[in-house]
Amino acid sequence: MPTLTRTKQIPVIGEYDVVVCGGGPAGFVSAIAAARCGARTALIERYGFLGGMATAGNVAPVTEFMHQGELVVGGIPLEFVRCLEAKGQGTMCPPRGNFVCHPEGYKLEAQRMVREAGVSLFLHAYVSDCIVEDGVITHVIMESKSGAQALKAGYVIDATGDGDVAAMAGVPMLDYQCPLQPSTMYFILGNVKTEMIRGYYPGQPGSSMKHVRERLNELSKTQDVPQFGGPWCMAGMGEGIAIVNMSRMAMDWTDEVQATEAECRLREDIDKLVKLLRENFEEFSDATLLSTATQVGIRETRHIKGVHVLTGDEYKAAHFFEDSIARCSHPIDIHSDKDNSQICIYLDKAAYLPYRSIIAEGFPNLLVPSRCFSADREAFASARVQAGVMGLGQAAGAAAAMCCEDGRSVKDADIQRLRETLIAWGAYLAEAD
Ligand SMILES: Cc1cc2nc3c(=O)[nH]c(=O)nc-3n(C[C@H](O)[C@H](O)[C@H](O)COP(=O)(O)OP(=O)(O)OC[C@H]3O[C@@H](n4cnc5c(N)ncnc54)[C@H](O)[C@@H]3O)c2cc1C
């Protein structure tokens, strides 16, 4: 393949203690945490809004804050969903503490909390490169309508979901030796007979649509039915409105050609799926497609090789680590890349997530709290969800700010002080019986 070399002068437009790359659930919570600890914090997001998969991907369920009716995720993540709840933007449903949220409410509340914390927000800015000296990331480079610009960084939090900064910096990645979990483009329907849709989460409107799955499986023997998963349907957004998680495609989002193909194919698939829903199911007989998500929903891409790789065995045993910084109780939830099957292992206790799984050997100012943190396939398949990565983000933001204050590398972070701070914020980090 031909290559070219280009040299370019890039203006350094700011200097920050902590630069957070990516404003999804992990990133916006990281930024709030760092700023609340007194760090000069910047948050760079490629879209014009925050929320990542929750908003750009329309992933309305924020799961899970409870285990058997007891809160296990607290602090800033809980504060966020309680704020939404107080504004009528969703309800926390025991016993698992699932929260279904309207993406617009999510965007607004995330942006308000970030700005109130004093974070410098850069929207419509794509992190395209970083400057690394002996493992230290000195600058993050972003591209926007203003051209290429750099931010000088004390500490960098990679919350791009895909480990973009970590990959650019040369952090080694794990190879699971098996296919990635498939992607899904969510869509929103209007004119749905939502009164016919049974509760998916207790106390909340929505349906697991088992009858739809069975009928489509039957239809697929005689006609063209695009690959689908679930389906799951959330109907709490307003009269006749339903958010549907149904389309499915195996692909690698970090490959530009495959990403383009997925956006195009899944939009075609949704066109066919909506017709099938209208033709075969009374609740959808008058349904109209209101929108497809801004981007394909991505479950999985890269995984960094951290100082510790959290394993499924540690996870299922709820192993307590001295450096536990977050909890997660979502089931181990592995979607098949080939068909509409799913492995779902419910946990006996909420798992603990260690600090060492968000840092990498030899990278003294980088933290990676988002879905690309260091875990094996099983542990990842639970902790990837929003409450899990928000908890990691909260810890990463606080840790980065503290390391900055103490002049320490992330590997030498004061874990006792970090845990005390997180517990003071309301995180449930004590060792369970
Ligand atoms: C189909 C599907 C169903 C799901 N179901 C659930 C569920 O039921 N419950 C649940 O809690 N979770 C669910 N999830 C998982 C959850 O949505 C994600 O794992 C979670 O959003 C991960 O958060 P994150 O912040 O790590 O990454 P993301 O949400 O991916 O956020 C990354 C952010 O970084 C930005 N970004 C990326 N690259 C760059 C760059 N180079 N420069 C600037 N910005 C960048 C993105 O725009 C985005 O805002 C589901 C996901 C999918 C796809």
Side-chain angles (χ1 to χ4, degrees), residues 209-220 228 230-231 281:
M209 299 207 291
K210 199 167 157 216
H211 63 297
V212 175
R213 173 198 190 90
E214 285 165 1
R215 176 90 180 110
L216 290 183
N217 280 343
E218 201 53 40
L219 285 173
S220 67
F228 69 95
F281 305 95

Side-chain angles (χ1 to χ4, degrees), residues 21 106 128 157 163 207 276 321 329 363 409:
C21 304
Y106 198 121
S128 59
I157 296 180
S207 169
L276 285 163
F321 303 91
S329 70
F363 293 86
S409 80

Side-chain angles (χ1 to χ4, degrees), residues 391-406:
L392 289 177
Q394 160 170 261
M402 285 176 192
C403 287
C404 182
E405 200 182 307
D406 299 346

